[in-house]
Amino acid sequence: EAGVAQSPRYKIIEKRQSVAFWCNPISGHATLYWYQQILGQGPKLLIQFQNNGVVDDSQLPKDRFSAERLKGVDSTLKIQPAKLEDSAVYLCASSLATGSGNYGYTFGSGTRLTVV
Amino acid sequence: AQSVAQPEDQVNVAEGNPLTVKCTYSVSGNPYLFWYVQYPNRGLQFLLKYITGDNLVKGSYGFEAEFNKSQTSFHLKKPSALVSDSALYFCAVREPYGGATNKLIFGTGTLLAVQP
């Protein structure tokens, strides 16, 4: 099966600019996650979708970050305006269902964002 | 709140020697525990998980992990290290089945360096 697709792989922007990342999960995976991985730290969940609904966005900086999954398939994550501290790798992952047993995650390769 | 700790930023081991990457956890109830590996410029790859059953869990690439409830640990092990095992390793915990979400909480990561 195809993996989780993310684009772009790399992005360099100036602070205060906007940027968007795209993720296409594995076909049939109802749950989609966006994680932020700052250099030297473990990934941190930003937002979790179940189909096209938000399950958890408690750690999403909503003043500048937004995400959507309108048709319950692919998703976009946007930052506007970007700050220097947003420099990180943004990882998308998908799984079959929320709260289900031991369904594993599949991660995409990530988008490396550098804000200068 | 759930958390995991990886006390070592880096582990150095000679090729052919056994390796251990440490992880301790804090969670209410029975933990679901995971190990992921991240190679440079790649996404996270699943290695193994503990949900229930035998305390010794075997996973990909010859890795195994031992769940120790009394010590709240889930150390990753391999009997004989390979240079190709050099990567960043993350321990993670998630809510047990029935939780509102199944988000993974990651440790800060341990860099494994295997010298030839």
Side-chain angles (χ1 to χ4, degrees), chain A residues 30-31 33 48-50 55 95-100, chain B residues 97 99-102:
Chain A
T31 311
Y33 315 81
Q48 177 182 342
F49 291 94
Q50 174 74 4
V55 175
S95 68
L96 277 169
T98 294
S100 308
Chain B
Y97 177 69
T101 77
N102 63 348

Side-chain angles (χ1 to χ4, degrees), chain B residues 4 15 22 42-43 63 65 70-71 85 93 97 101 103 113:
Chain B
V4 290
E15 188 174 32
K22 295 180 180 178
R42 301 282 294 275
F63 283 93
S70 63
Q71 297 185 6
D85 292 331
V93 65
Y97 177 69
T101 77
K103 68 181 179 184

Side-chain angles (χ1 to χ4, degrees), chain B residues 20-106:
Chain B
T20 299
V21 182
K22 295 180 180 178
C23 172
T24 58
Y25 66 89
S26 174
V27 64
S28 57
N30 296 319
Y32 286 5
L33 297 160
F34 301 79
W35 276 102
Y36 283 82
V37 60
Q38 187 174 38
Y39 297 99
N41 299 314
R42 301 282 294 275
L44 292 164
Q45 295 179 33
F46 170 80
L47 276 180
L48 51 81
K49 65 178 182 282
Y50 172 82
I51 304 299
T52 187
D54 289 342
N55 290 340
L56 186 63
V57 179
K58 294 188 183 296
S60 307
Y61 313 121
F63 283 93
E64 57 190 27
E66 185 171 10
F67 171 66
N68 188 318
K69 189 172 184 178
S70 63
Q71 297 185 6
T72 62
S73 67
F74 189 57
H75 301 331
L76 181 70
K77 300 181 180 182
K78 188 173 182 180
S80 178
L82 299 173
V83 172
S84 57
D85 292 331
S86 299
L88 190 56
Y89 290 80
F90 289 96
C91 183
V93 65
R94 58 152 280 198
E95 288 183 345
Y97 177 69
T101 77
N102 63 348
K103 68 181 179 184
L104 287 173
I105 307 296
F106 286 89

Side-chain angles (χ1 to χ4, degrees), chain A residues 18-36:
Chain A
S18 62
V19 65
F21 313 127
W22 175 81
C23 172
N24 192 24
I26 291 175
S27 178
H29 278 195
T31 311
L32 184 147
Y33 315 81
W34 283 103
Y35 279 82
Q36 180 193 55

